[in-house]
PDB file of all heavy atoms in Angstrom:
ATOM      1  N   LYS A  15      -7.002   8.498  11.635  1.00 98.00           N
ATOM      2  CA  LYS A  15      -6.074   7.412  12.064  1.00 98.00           C
ATOM      3  C   LYS A  15      -6.086   6.429  10.874  1.00 98.00           C
ATOM      4  O   LYS A  15      -7.108   6.274  10.214  1.00 98.00           O
ATOM      5  CB  LYS A  15      -6.612   6.781  13.319  1.00 98.00           C
ATOM      6  CG  LYS A  15      -5.756   5.601  13.820  1.00 98.00           C
ATOM      7  CD  LYS A  15      -6.327   4.955  15.071  1.00 98.00           C
ATOM      8  CE  LYS A  15      -5.510   3.754  15.468  1.00 98.00           C
ATOM      9  NZ  LYS A  15      -6.039   3.032  16.691  1.00 98.00           N
ATOM     10  N   ASP A  53     -20.957 -11.192  11.541  1.00 93.00           N
ATOM     11  CA  ASP A  53     -20.938 -12.260  12.443  1.00 93.00           C
ATOM     12  C   ASP A  53     -19.902 -12.132  13.506  1.00 93.00           C
ATOM     13  O   ASP A  53     -20.031 -12.389  14.680  1.00 93.00           O
ATOM     14  CB  ASP A  53     -20.723 -13.625  11.731  1.00 93.00           C
ATOM     15  CG  ASP A  53     -21.921 -13.989  10.819  1.00 93.00           C
ATOM     16  OD1 ASP A  53     -23.059 -13.556  11.160  1.00 93.00           O
ATOM     17  OD2 ASP A  53     -21.745 -14.753   9.962  1.00 93.00           O
ATOM     18  N   ALA A  83     -25.943   4.440  16.568  1.00 97.00           N
ATOM     19  CA  ALA A  83     -24.917   3.608  17.246  1.00 97.00           C
ATOM     20  C   ALA A  83     -23.692   4.371  17.588  1.00 97.00           C
ATOM     21  O   ALA A  83     -23.346   5.433  16.954  1.00 97.00           O
ATOM     22  CB  ALA A  83     -24.557   2.419  16.253  1.00 97.00           C
ATOM     23  N   ASN A  91     -16.667   4.350  -1.877  1.00 96.00           N
ATOM     24  CA  ASN A  91     -16.726   4.052  -3.256  1.00 96.00           C
ATOM     25  C   ASN A  91     -15.451   4.409  -3.957  1.00 96.00           C
ATOM     26  O   ASN A  91     -15.107   3.829  -5.019  1.00 96.00           O
ATOM     27  CB  ASN A  91     -17.871   4.816  -3.908  1.00 96.00           C
ATOM     28  CG  ASN A  91     -19.199   4.400  -3.457  1.00 96.00           C
ATOM     29  OD1 ASN A  91     -20.058   5.236  -3.083  1.00 96.00           O
ATOM     30  ND2 ASN A  91     -19.464   3.094  -3.444  1.00 96.00           N
ATOM     31  N   PRO A 130      -5.932   8.019  -8.561  1.00 97.00           N
ATOM     32  CA  PRO A 130      -4.847   9.002  -8.449  1.00 97.00           C
ATOM     33  C   PRO A 130      -5.299  10.380  -7.984  1.00 97.00           C
ATOM     34  O   PRO A 130      -4.614  11.035  -7.178  1.00 97.00           O
ATOM     35  CB  PRO A 130      -4.367   9.024  -9.889  1.00 97.00           C
ATOM     36  CG  PRO A 130      -4.651   7.759 -10.534  1.00 97.00           C
ATOM     37  CD  PRO A 130      -5.986   7.396  -9.943  1.00 97.00           C
ATOM     38  N   CYS A 153     -31.799  -2.768 -10.046  1.00 93.00           N
ATOM     39  CA  CYS A 153     -32.361  -1.473 -10.406  1.00 93.00           C
ATOM     40  C   CYS A 153     -32.672  -1.394 -11.893  1.00 93.00           C
ATOM     41  O   CYS A 153     -31.896  -1.959 -12.722  1.00 93.00           O
ATOM     42  CB  CYS A 153     -31.461  -0.366 -10.001  1.00 93.00           C
ATOM     43  SG  CYS A 153     -31.175  -0.201  -8.218  1.00 93.00           S
TER      44      CYS A 153
END
Side-chain angles (χ1 to χ4, degrees):
K15 179 181 177 182
D53 291 337
N91 294 134
C153 297

